[in-house]
Amino acid sequence: MQSDQPDPDELNRILRDLLLRVSRLEQRLDSLSPSRPTPPSPVSRVAEPALQSNPNPAFTSSSKSLVPDLESRIGAHWLNRIGIIAVLIGVAFFLKYAFESEWIGPSGRVIIGLLAGIALIAWSEWFRLHQYRFFSFSLKALGLGILYLSLWAAFQVYELISWSIAFSGMVAVTVSTAVLALWQDAAILALFALVGGFATPVLLYSHENRATQLFAYLTLLNAATLFLAASCAWRRLLLFSVAASFVLFCLWYVGLYVPAERSIALLFVSLFFAIFAIAPLVESRSTPEIDGGAIFTLLPSALNAGAYFAEIYLLLARTDNTAAAWCAIALAGIYFSLAQILRRTHQSDAERLHLLHLALGVVFITLAIAIRFESYWISIGWFAEAAVLMTVGFWRRSAFVRWQALALIALTIAKVFVLDIWGLQRGYRIISFVLLGILLLAVSFLYQRDWLKLSPRGIK
């Protein structure tokens, strides 16, 4: 069926033809009366942008328009950047030669490094003001790296300053970079600040166990990350801070952990977990649009859950499996509660986060069963959990919960056939196969009968 509405493209073509005809008539009239000034034609004002955006080879020369553009770009931009890099390399070689020749002592080297870092950061502002943002950020990264390395050399290499002075200097650099990031609304600068902040304990490592100071410092960094993610919608920072905190915990645990510090470590890793666990709630209230897509929506929460459980397992499982299992149960309850809270929010990613937190709750119940019970009872516990999930999935008409039940059944079946069945006597083996078959047939019967009308699409 054809529409009675005229085609917009056809109307535009007709209008363009009429305007060109009017323009030609005006030009003929102007040629007949040359004394009269020629006003700019509205047609030419309309047609010129179109001709510029779609040049005709008969009237314009592409070589004339492109060559000056390319020439100016090479001359003004690329030669400028190459020149800067060449100067920096030359200065670096000169300083290396001066250091090797001992023209400059340790104090002078550190001072030169600090001044060079500050000068690069100040110089980068000129490029930012002239719309060279990417190059400006590159210079800032170089300047910040020089500042951190200069303080590291003053403490670790030359032993010119104490640990507290070096630490205070690095913290000052980190805080200044974060303030600069907020002022310029630049997420990349905030990332530079976090990289330097988390690198500070590694750069200043002195074989001394400063557990309380380390964890208090990491708590402040993580709280600052939460503030940046909530106020500026820089969710990528959360992922970096979760990973960096876990790496630093593992380094401390492997190299410096003693059982006497278990309580303080549990307290602080729980604080880390709480900071990142409430991040989706804070974001949903203060930032309606978060950058990063689904991966930066879900991955920080999932990584936080995995990192926290790994930390408490390392701290508790060696001495008390029951305590580790109860911690897993508590985490399951926390994630089920957060899932219900997220379900009521109006955040665009609330549904994804709701399902993720439900899945995490189920995972922690599964882990609690695996930690607390022996081999055969683990399989029985997992089958019972799967039955509960299947019941809840049918009751709440939730396909997501039912899929979790099916995944858990598949995991339990694999465990039974790979591990459990070979350790049973013949009679118990027969009973196990019969019970397993009855359970699977019962689940299959529920799906085949479709008593709850699950077959139509659209049921979640």
Side-chain angles (χ1 to χ4, degrees), residues 13-27:
R13 188 186 65 79
I14 295 172
L15 178 61
R16 192 181 302 110
D17 291 342
L18 289 176
L19 291 174
L20 289 174
R21 291 181 182 180
V22 172
S23 176
R24 290 170 184 169
L25 290 174
E26 288 181 349
Q27 290 174 3

Side-chain angles (χ1 to χ4, degrees), residues 235 293-303 349 352-354 356:
R235 177 175 282 173
I295 185 170
F296 291 108
T297 299
L298 306 179
L299 198 54
S301 296
L303 185 59
D349 296 322
R352 292 173 179 170
L353 289 167
H354 165 72
L356 173 66

Side-chain angles (χ1 to χ4, degrees), residues 390-439:
M390 189 66 69
T391 303
V392 173
F394 281 120
W395 171 47
R396 299 294 297 270
R397 304 178 68 82
S398 173
F400 183 77
V401 176
R402 294 194 301 273
W403 270 109
Q404 291 183 88
L406 291 174
L408 187 55
I409 290 173
L411 175 64
T412 309
I413 292 173
K415 180 180 179 299
V416 168
F417 278 95
V418 174
L419 297 176
D420 297 346
I421 204 67
W422 308 108
L424 292 174
Q425 297 179 0
R426 180 176 298 178
Y428 290 111
R429 191 179 302 176
I430 294 172
I431 295 173
S432 299
F433 272 107
V434 171
L435 293 178
L436 176 62
I438 291 174
L439 176 61

Side-chain angles (χ1 to χ4, degrees), residues 185-240:
D185 192 22
I188 187 66
L189 292 182
L191 181 60
F192 291 163
L194 289 180
V195 170
F198 282 104
T200 295
V202 178
L203 293 174
L204 300 182
Y205 176 65
S206 60
H207 302 281
E208 295 183 23
N209 192 357
R210 296 184 175 94
T212 303
Q213 293 93 324
L214 171 65
F215 290 131
Y217 173 70
L218 294 180
T219 303
L220 291 176
L221 278 180
N222 292 332
T225 304
L226 177 63
F227 171 77
L228 292 173
S231 59
C232 302
W234 295 338
R235 177 175 282 173
R236 291 172 174 85
L237 303 180
L238 290 171
L239 183 60
F240 176 80

